[in-house]
Amino acid sequence: MRSGTKKDGNEKRPRGRPRAYDPETALRQAAEVFWKTGYSGTSLDDISAATGMNRPSLRAAFGDKHEIYVKALNDYWELKFAALDKAFGSGGGLFETLTRVYDAALSIYFSGGDQVLGCFVVGTAITETAGDPEIQSIVAEGFHNIDADFEARFKLARAAGELKQGADPKALALLASATMHTLAIRARAGTSRNELRKLAHKAASVICG
Amino acid sequence: MRSGTKKDGNEKRPRGRPRAYDPETALRQAAEVFWKTGYSGTSLDDISAATGMNRPSLRAAFGDKHEIYVKALNDYWELKFAALDKAFGSGGGLFETLTRVYDAALSIYFSGGDQVLGCFVVGTAITETAGDPEIQSIVAEGFHNIDADFEARFKLARAAGELKQGADPKALALLASATMHTLAIRARAGTSRNELRKLAHKAASVICG
DNA sequence: AAGTTTTTATGCGATCTGGTACAAAAAAAG
DNA sequence: CTTTTTTTGTACCAGATCGCATAAAAACTT
């Protein structure tokens, strides 16, 4: 962790020809293409065009197509977890927290410049999970993390009296995750951001009782 | 409707060489391959191998790759709607109906022989919706239908006193659809059928209040 | 200035992919 | 039996796709 996140400036230059690109931005650009056209629908030439790197440089930097995709997928989870952690950790009541979480998710789902791309995982990785155990386990682990985040928050809410004592935090967490999944799916299927915000609002209302 | 669903036997034979395949089963076999490897991940050779038809015959029967996929997609919606209609229309209380609906969905999601493929729409079409308006509208319309089915059932339940008068049928319908979406996603991501049944049970419990 | 190291850039080869042209096959019709 | 009609099966084409081999470029080292 924390090896090249910020440019140090006073770092000793490596020996050979300097890179003509920034690995982080290049990977982000590659992820953008995958996000739009999916894993199988994206060629190395597409990635090459999006990053400005030629194929041999791509390979040297990130490995083959599958490795690039896995790196992009992990990056996406990191981005999403960071956004959710912030949304979960900003205080406020249960309903407020839920709507903040869903707004954070929608911000990502609608972050594509012109097009709406939804969730990278739901929109592209789910297709690959059948037939790709590595991607499947990365996806499953991410879902598990989010389920756990929701469950912890509902336990807290029950302890704080925001939910009735009989409430089942695990059941509510599954519904909360389900709501996020339906947002992800519907965003890519063309539902507007405003409608999805209303949808999230209604769902949160029911979940909070 | 009802033109060639069942073999009539006493039908006049067409003029030329008879087909060596049954169009319906061939399309179902093609859909199976798409279901497993997605639209872009499936080649015409894959479909050719799965159906036993060669590419020219495929084209003559169903059109190009995109047309084949759209036909498979529409077929899937028909299959799913039929299953859901049956589950919705078999009487019983609200909770019973919901669990029957989710069981029907799971039966489809786990219908792949060896592998679990989840929902054809969520598992393959969602990826294509970005960049393919035709697929996007087919998907969106299907979701809308299911939302409406759920809403109608919740309205009925509220009128019958199964829900408190203040319940919002539309909000509940969105959560019910969200539950189906999360089942579809998680099935493909590797969650077992038993766990998903329990998940659906918990979700239905919360939704029914 | 010459050598070393690392990256970039071009290009080649093998395979895959989608589509189609064309001949052979299988049936009914005359 | 010949003709007509429709489907099948083989083969081919053009372009995409991926990986790699190899040369050129750009930096540091001595």
Side-chain angles (χ1 to χ4, degrees), chain B residues 149-183:
Chain B
D149 284 348
F150 276 122
E151 188 182 343
R153 186 61 185 84
F154 286 123
K155 274 184 178 160
L156 213 70
R158 192 179 58 178
E162 288 184 297
L163 293 169
K164 54 187 175 194
Q165 288 306 311
D168 180 352
K170 192 157 300 208
L172 294 176
L174 290 172
L175 269 185
S177 279
T179 299
M180 195 141 80
H181 290 162
T182 209
L183 291 178

PDB file of all heavy atoms in Angstrom, chain B residues 149-183:
ATOM      1  N   ASP B 149     -46.536  -6.346 -12.528  1.00  0.00           N
ATOM      2  CA  ASP B 149     -47.120  -7.551 -11.930  1.00  0.00           C
ATOM      3  C   ASP B 149     -47.043  -7.495 -10.409  1.00  0.00           C
ATOM      4  O   ASP B 149     -48.025  -7.781  -9.718  1.00  0.00           O
ATOM      5  CB  ASP B 149     -46.368  -8.799 -12.430  1.00  0.00           C
ATOM      6  CG  ASP B 149     -46.753  -9.174 -13.847  1.00  0.00           C
ATOM      7  OD1 ASP B 149     -47.744  -8.618 -14.357  1.00  0.00           O
ATOM      8  OD2 ASP B 149     -46.068 -10.026 -14.448  1.00  0.00           O
ATOM      9  N   PHE B 150     -45.880  -7.140  -9.909  1.00  0.00           N
ATOM     10  CA  PHE B 150     -45.726  -7.053  -8.462  1.00  0.00           C
ATOM     11  C   PHE B 150     -46.668  -5.998  -7.879  1.00  0.00           C
ATOM     12  O   PHE B 150     -47.357  -6.238  -6.878  1.00  0.00           O
ATOM     13  CB  PHE B 150     -44.278  -6.722  -8.084  1.00  0.00           C
ATOM     14  CG  PHE B 150     -43.373  -7.916  -8.014  1.00  0.00           C
ATOM     15  CD1 PHE B 150     -42.235  -7.996  -8.804  1.00  0.00           C
ATOM     16  CD2 PHE B 150     -43.644  -8.955  -7.120  1.00  0.00           C
ATOM     17  CE1 PHE B 150     -41.398  -9.094  -8.730  1.00  0.00           C
ATOM     18  CE2 PHE B 150     -42.801 -10.060  -7.035  1.00  0.00           C
ATOM     19  CZ  PHE B 150     -41.678 -10.123  -7.847  1.00  0.00           C
ATOM     20  N   GLU B 151     -46.700  -4.846  -8.520  1.00  0.00           N
ATOM     21  CA  GLU B 151     -47.527  -3.764  -7.989  1.00  0.00           C
ATOM     22  C   GLU B 151     -48.999  -4.177  -7.929  1.00  0.00           C
ATOM     23  O   GLU B 151     -49.689  -3.904  -6.936  1.00  0.00           O
ATOM     24  CB  GLU B 151     -47.352  -2.509  -8.843  1.00  0.00           C
ATOM     25  CG  GLU B 151     -48.023  -1.287  -8.229  1.00  0.00           C
ATOM     26  CD  GLU B 151     -47.878  -0.057  -9.108  1.00  0.00           C
ATOM     27  OE1 GLU B 151     -47.004  -0.059  -9.998  1.00  0.00           O
ATOM     28  OE2 GLU B 151     -48.632   0.911  -8.907  1.00  0.00           O
ATOM     29  N   ALA B 152     -49.453  -4.818  -8.985  1.00  0.00           N
ATOM     30  CA  ALA B 152     -50.848  -5.253  -9.005  1.00  0.00           C
ATOM     31  C   ALA B 152     -51.129  -6.208  -7.840  1.00  0.00           C
ATOM     32  O   ALA B 152     -52.172  -6.118  -7.170  1.00  0.00           O
ATOM     33  CB  ALA B 152     -51.159  -5.932 -10.342  1.00  0.00           C
ATOM     34  N   ARG B 153     -50.186  -7.094  -7.600  1.00  0.00           N
ATOM     35  CA  ARG B 153     -50.391  -8.059  -6.511  1.00  0.00           C
ATOM     36  C   ARG B 153     -50.401  -7.360  -5.150  1.00  0.00           C
ATOM     37  O   ARG B 153     -51.165  -7.754  -4.250  1.00  0.00           O
ATOM     38  CB  ARG B 153     -49.286  -9.121  -6.559  1.00  0.00           C
ATOM     39  CG  ARG B 153     -49.467 -10.258  -5.561  1.00  0.00           C
ATOM     40  CD  ARG B 153     -50.756 -10.999  -5.824  1.00  0.00           C
ATOM     41  NE  ARG B 153     -51.049 -12.034  -4.833  1.00  0.00           N
ATOM     42  CZ  ARG B 153     -51.637 -11.805  -3.666  1.00  0.00           C
ATOM     43  NH1 ARG B 153     -51.989 -10.571  -3.344  1.00  0.00           N
ATOM     44  NH2 ARG B 153     -51.883 -12.802  -2.836  1.00  0.00           N
ATOM     45  N   PHE B 154     -49.569  -6.351  -4.994  1.00  0.00           N
ATOM     46  CA  PHE B 154     -49.542  -5.640  -3.711  1.00  0.00           C
ATOM     47  C   PHE B 154     -50.807  -4.810  -3.521  1.00  0.00           C
ATOM     48  O   PHE B 154     -51.310  -4.680  -2.401  1.00  0.00           O
ATOM     49  CB  PHE B 154     -48.293  -4.759  -3.607  1.00  0.00           C
ATOM     50  CG  PHE B 154     -47.042  -5.545  -3.377  1.00  0.00           C
ATOM     51  CD1 PHE B 154     -45.962  -5.443  -4.254  1.00  0.00           C
ATOM     52  CD2 PHE B 154     -46.921  -6.393  -2.276  1.00  0.00           C
ATOM     53  CE1 PHE B 154     -44.805  -6.177  -4.040  1.00  0.00           C
ATOM     54  CE2 PHE B 154     -45.771  -7.128  -2.056  1.00  0.00           C
ATOM     55  CZ  PHE B 154     -44.699  -7.023  -2.948  1.00  0.00           C
ATOM     56  N   LYS B 155     -51.316  -4.247  -4.598  1.00  0.00           N
ATOM     57  CA  LYS B 155     -52.578  -3.518  -4.501  1.00  0.00           C
ATOM     58  C   LYS B 155     -53.689  -4.455  -4.045  1.00  0.00           C
ATOM     59  O   LYS B 155     -54.501  -4.122  -3.173  1.00  0.00           O
ATOM     60  CB  LYS B 155     -52.940  -2.912  -5.861  1.00  0.00           C
ATOM     61  CG  LYS B 155     -52.309  -1.545  -6.113  1.00  0.00           C
ATOM     62  CD  LYS B 155     -52.776  -0.960  -7.437  1.00  0.00           C
ATOM     63  CE  LYS B 155     -52.174   0.428  -7.659  1.00  0.00           C
ATOM     64  NZ  LYS B 155     -52.203   0.809  -9.092  1.00  0.00           N
ATOM     65  N   LEU B 156     -53.687  -5.639  -4.651  1.00  0.00           N
ATOM     66  CA  LEU B 156     -54.660  -6.649  -4.259  1.00  0.00           C
ATOM     67  C   LEU B 156     -54.509  -6.985  -2.783  1.00  0.00           C
ATOM     68  O   LEU B 156     -55.510  -7.085  -2.045  1.00  0.00           O
ATOM     69  CB  LEU B 156     -54.419  -7.901  -5.108  1.00  0.00           C
ATOM     70  CG  LEU B 156     -55.632  -8.746  -5.472  1.00  0.00           C
ATOM     71  CD1 LEU B 156     -56.509  -8.004  -6.473  1.00  0.00           C
ATOM     72  CD2 LEU B 156     -55.179 -10.086  -6.055  1.00  0.00           C
ATOM     73  N   ALA B 157     -53.282  -7.158  -2.368  1.00  0.00           N
ATOM     74  CA  ALA B 157     -53.034  -7.543  -0.972  1.00  0.00           C
ATOM     75  C   ALA B 157     -53.498  -6.448  -0.018  1.00  0.00           C
ATOM     76  O   ALA B 157     -54.064  -6.732   1.043  1.00  0.00           O
ATOM     77  CB  ALA B 157     -51.550  -7.838  -0.778  1.00  0.00           C
ATOM     78  N   ARG B 158     -53.247  -5.220  -0.403  1.00  0.00           N
ATOM     79  CA  ARG B 158     -53.671  -4.128   0.470  1.00  0.00           C
ATOM     80  C   ARG B 158     -55.197  -4.077   0.568  1.00  0.00           C
ATOM     81  O   ARG B 158     -55.769  -3.896   1.650  1.00  0.00           O
ATOM     82  CB  ARG B 158     -53.139  -2.793  -0.046  1.00  0.00           C
ATOM     83  CG  ARG B 158     -53.292  -1.669   0.968  1.00  0.00           C
ATOM     84  CD  ARG B 158     -52.730  -0.373   0.438  1.00  0.00           C
ATOM     85  NE  ARG B 158     -53.358   0.037  -0.813  1.00  0.00           N
ATOM     86  CZ  ARG B 158     -53.077   1.161  -1.470  1.00  0.00           C
ATOM     87  NH1 ARG B 158     -52.143   1.977  -0.979  1.00  0.00           N
ATOM     88  NH2 ARG B 158     -53.666   1.462  -2.592  1.00  0.00           N
ATOM     89  N   ALA B 159     -55.858  -4.261  -0.561  1.00  0.00           N
ATOM     90  CA  ALA B 159     -57.314  -4.269  -0.566  1.00  0.00           C
ATOM     91  C   ALA B 159     -57.861  -5.429   0.262  1.00  0.00           C
ATOM     92  O   ALA B 159     -58.909  -5.309   0.907  1.00  0.00           O
ATOM     93  CB  ALA B 159     -57.832  -4.361  -2.009  1.00  0.00           C
ATOM     94  N   ALA B 160     -57.140  -6.538   0.256  1.00  0.00           N
ATOM     95  CA  ALA B 160     -57.593  -7.711   1.005  1.00  0.00           C
ATOM     96  C   ALA B 160     -57.210  -7.646   2.466  1.00  0.00           C
ATOM     97  O   ALA B 160     -57.518  -8.568   3.229  1.00  0.00           O
ATOM     98  CB  ALA B 160     -57.010  -8.974   0.364  1.00  0.00           C
ATOM     99  N   GLY B 161     -56.517  -6.589   2.857  1.00  0.00           N
ATOM    100  CA  GLY B 161     -56.143  -6.448   4.254  1.00  0.00           C
ATOM    101  C   GLY B 161     -54.888  -7.220   4.635  1.00  0.00           C
ATOM    102  O   GLY B 161     -54.558  -7.330   5.814  1.00  0.00           O
ATOM    103  N   GLU B 162     -54.178  -7.748   3.634  1.00  0.00           N
ATOM    104  CA  GLU B 162     -52.935  -8.455   3.934  1.00  0.00           C
ATOM    105  C   GLU B 162     -51.803  -7.481   4.253  1.00  0.00           C
ATOM    106  O   GLU B 162     -50.767  -7.860   4.803  1.00  0.00           O
ATOM    107  CB  GLU B 162     -52.522  -9.321   2.746  1.00  0.00           C
ATOM    108  CG  GLU B 162     -53.381 -10.550   2.541  1.00  0.00           C
ATOM    109  CD  GLU B 162     -52.855 -11.421   1.405  1.00  0.00           C
ATOM    110  OE1 GLU B 162     -52.826 -10.939   0.258  1.00  0.00           O
ATOM    111  OE2 GLU B 162     -52.467 -12.555   1.672  1.00  0.00           O
ATOM    112  N   LEU B 163     -51.987  -6.247   3.812  1.00  0.00           N
ATOM    113  CA  LEU B 163     -51.016  -5.194   4.120  1.00  0.00           C
ATOM    114  C   LEU B 163     -51.765  -4.078   4.836  1.00  0.00           C
ATOM    115  O   LEU B 163     -52.972  -3.905   4.636  1.00  0.00           O
ATOM    116  CB  LEU B 163     -50.390  -4.639   2.825  1.00  0.00           C
ATOM    117  CG  LEU B 163     -49.494  -5.569   2.011  1.00  0.00           C
ATOM    118  CD1 LEU B 163     -49.204  -4.954   0.650  1.00  0.00           C
ATOM    119  CD2 LEU B 163     -48.199  -5.825   2.761  1.00  0.00           C
ATOM    120  N   LYS B 164     -51.039  -3.335   5.632  1.00  0.00           N
ATOM    121  CA  LYS B 164     -51.719  -2.211   6.270  1.00  0.00           C
ATOM    122  C   LYS B 164     -52.095  -1.175   5.212  1.00  0.00           C
ATOM    123  O   LYS B 164     -51.482  -1.097   4.148  1.00  0.00           O
ATOM    124  CB  LYS B 164     -50.830  -1.595   7.341  1.00  0.00           C
ATOM    125  CG  LYS B 164     -49.452  -1.200   6.837  1.00  0.00           C
ATOM    126  CD  LYS B 164     -48.576  -0.757   7.995  1.00  0.00           C
ATOM    127  CE  LYS B 164     -47.158  -0.488   7.507  1.00  0.00           C
ATOM    128  NZ  LYS B 164     -46.182  -0.384   8.587  1.00  0.00           N
ATOM    129  N   GLN B 165     -53.132  -0.391   5.500  1.00  0.00           N
ATOM    130  CA  GLN B 165     -53.670   0.529   4.492  1.00  0.00           C
ATOM    131  C   GLN B 165     -52.649   1.558   4.024  1.00  0.00           C
ATOM    132  O   GLN B 165     -52.730   2.067   2.902  1.00  0.00           O
ATOM    133  CB  GLN B 165     -54.914   1.237   5.063  1.00  0.00           C
ATOM    134  CG  GLN B 165     -56.128   0.316   5.178  1.00  0.00           C
ATOM    135  CD  GLN B 165     -56.465  -0.366   3.868  1.00  0.00           C
ATOM    136  OE1 GLN B 165     -56.546   0.276   2.824  1.00  0.00           O
ATOM    137  NE2 GLN B 165     -56.632  -1.682   3.891  1.00  0.00           N
ATOM    138  N   GLY B 166     -51.685   1.862   4.868  1.00  0.00           N
ATOM    139  CA  GLY B 166     -50.700   2.868   4.488  1.00  0.00           C
ATOM    140  C   GLY B 166     -49.610   2.353   3.571  1.00  0.00           C
ATOM    141  O   GLY B 166     -48.761   3.123   3.115  1.00  0.00           O
ATOM    142  N   ALA B 167     -49.615   1.082   3.275  1.00  0.00           N
ATOM    143  CA  ALA B 167     -48.549   0.495   2.461  1.00  0.00           C
ATOM    144  C   ALA B 167     -48.532   1.094   1.055  1.00  0.00           C
ATOM    145  O   ALA B 167     -49.586   1.411   0.499  1.00  0.00           O
ATOM    146  CB  ALA B 167     -48.727  -1.018   2.387  1.00  0.00           C
ATOM    147  N   ASP B 168     -47.346   1.217   0.504  1.00  0.00           N
ATOM    148  CA  ASP B 168     -47.172   1.794  -0.843  1.00  0.00           C
ATOM    149  C   ASP B 168     -46.888   0.662  -1.831  1.00  0.00           C
ATOM    150  O   ASP B 168     -45.773   0.139  -1.887  1.00  0.00           O
ATOM    151  CB  ASP B 168     -46.012   2.791  -0.814  1.00  0.00           C
ATOM    152  CG  ASP B 168     -45.778   3.430  -2.182  1.00  0.00           C
ATOM    153  OD1 ASP B 168     -46.404   2.998  -3.163  1.00  0.00           O
ATOM    154  OD2 ASP B 168     -44.954   4.363  -2.242  1.00  0.00           O
ATOM    155  N   PRO B 169     -47.876   0.276  -2.624  1.00  0.00           N
ATOM    156  CA  PRO B 169     -47.694  -0.865  -3.539  1.00  0.00           C
ATOM    157  C   PRO B 169     -46.529  -0.669  -4.502  1.00  0.00           C
ATOM    158  O   PRO B 169     -45.807  -1.621  -4.821  1.00  0.00           O
ATOM    159  CB  PRO B 169     -49.024  -0.932  -4.290  1.00  0.00           C
ATOM    160  CG  PRO B 169     -49.998  -0.248  -3.404  1.00  0.00           C
ATOM    161  CD  PRO B 169     -49.238   0.836  -2.713  1.00  0.00           C
ATOM    162  N   LYS B 170     -46.347   0.565  -4.963  1.00  0.00           N
ATOM    163  CA  LYS B 170     -45.263   0.789  -5.918  1.00  0.00           C
ATOM    164  C   LYS B 170     -43.900   0.605  -5.247  1.00  0.00           C
ATOM    165  O   LYS B 170     -42.990  -0.025  -5.811  1.00  0.00           O
ATOM    166  CB  LYS B 170     -45.370   2.199  -6.517  1.00  0.00           C
ATOM    167  CG  LYS B 170     -44.463   2.403  -7.709  1.00  0.00           C
ATOM    168  CD  LYS B 170     -44.943   3.532  -8.620  1.00  0.00           C
ATOM    169  CE  LYS B 170     -46.315   3.293  -9.179  1.00  0.00           C
ATOM    170  NZ  LYS B 170     -46.592   3.908 -10.481  1.00  0.00           N
ATOM    171  N   ALA B 171     -43.775   1.131  -4.040  1.00  0.00           N
ATOM    172  CA  ALA B 171     -42.509   0.970  -3.323  1.00  0.00           C
ATOM    173  C   ALA B 171     -42.224  -0.497  -3.043  1.00  0.00           C
ATOM    174  O   ALA B 171     -41.095  -0.983  -3.229  1.00  0.00           O
ATOM    175  CB  ALA B 171     -42.547   1.770  -2.022  1.00  0.00           C
ATOM    176  N   LEU B 172     -43.262  -1.213  -2.618  1.00  0.00           N
ATOM    177  CA  LEU B 172     -43.067  -2.634  -2.346  1.00  0.00           C
ATOM    178  C   LEU B 172     -42.718  -3.402  -3.617  1.00  0.00           C
ATOM    179  O   LEU B 172     -41.901  -4.328  -3.601  1.00  0.00           O
ATOM    180  CB  LEU B 172     -44.324  -3.211  -1.701  1.00  0.00           C
ATOM    181  CG  LEU B 172     -44.642  -2.670  -0.308  1.00  0.00           C
ATOM    182  CD1 LEU B 172     -45.971  -3.240   0.207  1.00  0.00           C
ATOM    183  CD2 LEU B 172     -43.517  -2.987   0.665  1.00  0.00           C
ATOM    184  N   ALA B 173     -43.339  -2.996  -4.727  1.00  0.00           N
ATOM    185  CA  ALA B 173     -43.052  -3.671  -5.994  1.00  0.00           C
ATOM    186  C   ALA B 173     -41.595  -3.477  -6.392  1.00  0.00           C
ATOM    187  O   ALA B 173     -40.940  -4.400  -6.892  1.00  0.00           O
ATOM    188  CB  ALA B 173     -43.974  -3.141  -7.082  1.00  0.00           C
ATOM    189  N   LEU B 174     -41.065  -2.275  -6.162  1.00  0.00           N
ATOM    190  CA  LEU B 174     -39.667  -2.040  -6.499  1.00  0.00           C
ATOM    191  C   LEU B 174     -38.759  -2.924  -5.658  1.00  0.00           C
ATOM    192  O   LEU B 174     -37.782  -3.485  -6.157  1.00  0.00           O
ATOM    193  CB  LEU B 174     -39.328  -0.563  -6.283  1.00  0.00           C
ATOM    194  CG  LEU B 174     -39.990   0.384  -7.287  1.00  0.00           C
ATOM    195  CD1 LEU B 174     -39.776   1.831  -6.889  1.00  0.00           C
ATOM    196  CD2 LEU B 174     -39.462   0.123  -8.693  1.00  0.00           C
ATOM    197  N   LEU B 175     -39.085  -3.071  -4.386  1.00  0.00           N
ATOM    198  CA  LEU B 175     -38.280  -3.944  -3.539  1.00  0.00           C
ATOM    199  C   LEU B 175     -38.418  -5.401  -3.964  1.00  0.00           C
ATOM    200  O   LEU B 175     -37.448  -6.163  -3.929  1.00  0.00           O
ATOM    201  CB  LEU B 175     -38.705  -3.788  -2.077  1.00  0.00           C
ATOM    202  CG  LEU B 175     -37.951  -2.728  -1.293  1.00  0.00           C
ATOM    203  CD1 LEU B 175     -38.371  -2.763   0.166  1.00  0.00           C
ATOM    204  CD2 LEU B 175     -36.451  -2.964  -1.391  1.00  0.00           C
ATOM    205  N   ALA B 176     -39.615  -5.766  -4.359  1.00  0.00           N
ATOM    206  CA  ALA B 176     -39.819  -7.148  -4.803  1.00  0.00           C
ATOM    207  C   ALA B 176     -39.025  -7.426  -6.082  1.00  0.00           C
ATOM    208  O   ALA B 176     -38.396  -8.487  -6.223  1.00  0.00           O
ATOM    209  CB  ALA B 176     -41.302  -7.408  -5.030  1.00  0.00           C
ATOM    210  N   SER B 177     -39.032  -6.467  -7.005  1.00  0.00           N
ATOM    211  CA  SER B 177     -38.216  -6.622  -8.208  1.00  0.00           C
ATOM    212  C   SER B 177     -36.735  -6.627  -7.857  1.00  0.00           C
ATOM    213  O   SER B 177     -35.948  -7.397  -8.414  1.00  0.00           O
ATOM    214  CB  SER B 177     -38.501  -5.487  -9.197  1.00  0.00           C
ATOM    215  OG  SER B 177     -39.679  -5.739  -9.937  1.00  0.00           O
ATOM    216  N   ALA B 178     -36.374  -5.754  -6.936  1.00  0.00           N
ATOM    217  CA  ALA B 178     -34.966  -5.700  -6.526  1.00  0.00           C
ATOM    218  C   ALA B 178     -34.517  -7.040  -5.972  1.00  0.00           C
ATOM    219  O   ALA B 178     -33.393  -7.494  -6.236  1.00  0.00           O
ATOM    220  CB  ALA B 178     -34.764  -4.598  -5.496  1.00  0.00           C
ATOM    221  N   THR B 179     -35.402  -7.681  -5.230  1.00  0.00           N
ATOM    222  CA  THR B 179     -35.071  -9.003  -4.691  1.00  0.00           C
ATOM    223  C   THR B 179     -34.825  -9.997  -5.818  1.00  0.00           C
ATOM    224  O   THR B 179     -33.869 -10.774  -5.781  1.00  0.00           O
ATOM    225  CB  THR B 179     -36.208  -9.495  -3.788  1.00  0.00           C
ATOM    226  OG1 THR B 179     -36.365  -8.575  -2.701  1.00  0.00           O
ATOM    227  CG2 THR B 179     -35.911 -10.876  -3.244  1.00  0.00           C
ATOM    228  N   MET B 180     -35.662  -9.945  -6.835  1.00  0.00           N
ATOM    229  CA  MET B 180     -35.446 -10.838  -7.965  1.00  0.00           C
ATOM    230  C   MET B 180     -34.133 -10.522  -8.670  1.00  0.00           C
ATOM    231  O   MET B 180     -33.404 -11.415  -9.093  1.00  0.00           O
ATOM    232  CB  MET B 180     -36.604 -10.738  -8.948  1.00  0.00           C
ATOM    233  CG  MET B 180     -36.612 -11.872  -9.929  1.00  0.00           C
ATOM    234  SD  MET B 180     -38.276 -12.432 -10.274  1.00  0.00           S
ATOM    235  CE  MET B 180     -38.792 -11.198 -11.430  1.00  0.00           C
ATOM    236  N   HIS B 181     -33.814  -9.254  -8.782  1.00  0.00           N
ATOM    237  CA  HIS B 181     -32.553  -8.872  -9.423  1.00  0.00           C
ATOM    238  C   HIS B 181     -31.366  -9.392  -8.637  1.00  0.00           C
ATOM    239  O   HIS B 181     -30.380  -9.866  -9.200  1.00  0.00           O
ATOM    240  CB  HIS B 181     -32.467  -7.350  -9.556  1.00  0.00           C
ATOM    241  CG  HIS B 181     -33.425  -6.799 -10.561  1.00  0.00           C
ATOM    242  ND1 HIS B 181     -33.800  -5.471 -10.603  1.00  0.00           N
ATOM    243  CD2 HIS B 181     -34.105  -7.401 -11.573  1.00  0.00           C
ATOM    244  CE1 HIS B 181     -34.655  -5.290 -11.588  1.00  0.00           C
ATOM    245  NE2 HIS B 181     -34.861  -6.428 -12.184  1.00  0.00           N
ATOM    246  N   THR B 182     -31.441  -9.268  -7.318  1.00  0.00           N
ATOM    247  CA  THR B 182     -30.302  -9.723  -6.524  1.00  0.00           C
ATOM    248  C   THR B 182     -30.191 -11.240  -6.598  1.00  0.00           C
ATOM    249  O   THR B 182     -29.080 -11.793  -6.594  1.00  0.00           O
ATOM    250  CB  THR B 182     -30.413  -9.208  -5.070  1.00  0.00           C
ATOM    251  OG1 THR B 182     -29.096  -9.051  -4.535  1.00  0.00           O
ATOM    252  CG2 THR B 182     -31.196 -10.144  -4.184  1.00  0.00           C
ATOM    253  N   LEU B 183     -31.318 -11.932  -6.697  1.00  0.00           N
ATOM    254  CA  LEU B 183     -31.260 -13.384  -6.900  1.00  0.00           C
ATOM    255  C   LEU B 183     -30.549 -13.707  -8.213  1.00  0.00           C
ATOM    256  O   LEU B 183     -29.691 -14.589  -8.278  1.00  0.00           O
ATOM    257  CB  LEU B 183     -32.671 -13.980  -6.927  1.00  0.00           C
ATOM    258  CG  LEU B 183     -33.466 -13.989  -5.623  1.00  0.00           C
ATOM    259  CD1 LEU B 183     -34.852 -14.575  -5.852  1.00  0.00           C
ATOM    260  CD2 LEU B 183     -32.729 -14.775  -4.547  1.00  0.00           C
TER     261      LEU B 183
END
